[in-house]
Amino acid sequence: AQSVAQPEDQVNVAEGNPLTVKCTYSVSGNPYLFWYVQYPNRGLQFLLKYITGDNLVKGSYGFEAEFNKSQTSFHLKKPSALVSDSALYFCAVSAPNRDDKIIFGKGTRLHILP
Amino acid sequence: DGGITQSPKYLFRKEGQNVTLSCEQNLNHDAMYWYRQDPGQGLRLIYYSQIVNDFQKGDIAEGYSVSREKKESFPLTVTSAQKNPTAFYLCASSIGQGVYNEQFFGPGTRLTVL
């Protein structure tokens, strides 16, 4: 069965510093990987996805993520954090030739400290 | 404006009552989804539909029902059989199958059982 893990419930980063939000996955076959962001009392917003091709994926708001097949990871990164990046971040995984479901991680709360 | 609307934003229900949550999209998406979000548990899939007049159970379908009579509408009924319905409910849609297409989310409905 496919699964996704976000090992950190919360990440604190000072404004201007680089940030990383970790995600690891388990799936048979090639994964499709996604990152979403959720602001308080709102729905999720899509940030970026990896389907195939270049392992470094660039997305919205200056975020990027690197697909690492050997480590089964898809960590979200940003070179310089903004206070407005504070939110709840979800990693998600699906796989081709499976049922039409995406599995979401439990989320990581990112706090950017001014 | 294209997007997904959910109503109401807040809903209060007495025990033993059925309630219906509305989800409408004007994105011309084929697939629609219902998720339940509880603190610290991420998103869990309740039901999904890839085409009009067809839908499948997700991971936590017990106590819920849906219909998909129109492409743009996917209402969710929380029945009295749902043991713990207090949660934040999110509706989403995607072009075609969601396994490699990003999902677009509505703003959510917060249901509280009194």
Side-chain angles (χ1 to χ4, degrees):
Chain A
Q2 60 197 52
S3 65
V4 60
Q6 295 181 242
E8 301 155 318
D9 291 335
Q10 182 169 311
V11 171
N12 297 322
V13 177
E15 186 177 22
N17 283 2
L19 70 87
T20 299
V21 183
K22 295 180 180 177
C23 173
T24 58
Y25 65 90
S26 174
V27 67
S28 297
N30 295 322
Y32 298 147
L33 295 155
F34 304 81
W35 275 103
Y36 290 84
V37 60
Q38 185 181 33
Y39 297 100
N41 296 312
R42 302 285 296 277
L44 277 66
Q45 296 177 33
F46 169 75
L47 281 178
L48 51 80
K49 67 180 179 182
Y50 171 83
I51 302 300
T52 187
D54 194 345
N55 289 344
L56 183 63
V57 179
K58 294 187 182 297
S60 306
Y61 313 121
F63 284 95
E64 59 187 28
E66 185 167 12
F67 170 62
N68 188 318
K69 189 171 183 176
S70 62
Q71 297 186 5
T72 61
S73 67
F74 190 57
H75 301 332
L76 181 70
K77 299 182 179 184
K78 188 173 182 181
S80 179
L82 301 173
V83 173
S84 58
D85 293 330
S86 298
L88 186 58
Y89 290 81
F90 290 96
C91 181
V93 65
S94 64
N97 303 319
R98 300 291 175 185
D99 52 26
D100 302 316
K101 289 190 262 185
I102 292 177
I103 304 298
F104 285 84
K106 294 187 176 183
T108 297
R109 190 163 297 281
L110 179 63
H111 287 285
I112 307 301
L113 308 172
Chain B
D1 269 345
I4 300 180
T5 57
Q6 291 185 243
S7 62
K9 187 173 182 179
Y10 299 97
L11 186 57
F12 298 90
R13 190 195 91 174
K14 294 182 180 179
E15 285 193 22
Q17 287 182 336
N18 293 354
V19 290
T20 297
L21 283 58
S22 170
C23 178
E24 303 277 332
Q25 55 99 359
N26 61 4
L27 299 168
N28 200 33
H29 286 173
D30 292 309
M32 297 188 74
Y33 309 80
W34 273 105
Y35 294 92
R36 170 180 171 141
Q37 183 177 17
D38 296 282
Q41 294 197 45
L43 274 68
R44 293 183 289 170
L45 182 65
I46 304 173
Y47 270 98
Y48 63 107
S49 168
Q50 287 186 287
I51 195 169
V52 174
N53 292 322
D54 188 42
F55 48 83
Q56 287 78 42
K57 292 182 179 180
D59 301 315
I60 56 165
E62 185 177 351
Y64 300 97
S65 66
V66 294
S67 63
R68 186 87 187 275
E69 297 177 0
K70 298 186 296 182
K71 186 176 185 178
E72 58 270 23
S73 179
F74 191 41
L76 173 74
T77 297
V78 184
T79 74
S80 57
Q82 169 49 233
K83 296 283 188 274
N84 184 21
T86 294
F88 190 50
Y89 290 87
L90 288 164
C91 180
S93 70
S94 67
I95 297 173
Q97 293 185 0
V99 290
Y100 52 82
N101 290 311
E102 60 268 30
Q103 296 183 7
F104 292 76
F105 284 79
T109 292
R110 189 167 297 279
L111 173 63
T112 302
V113 174
L114 303 174

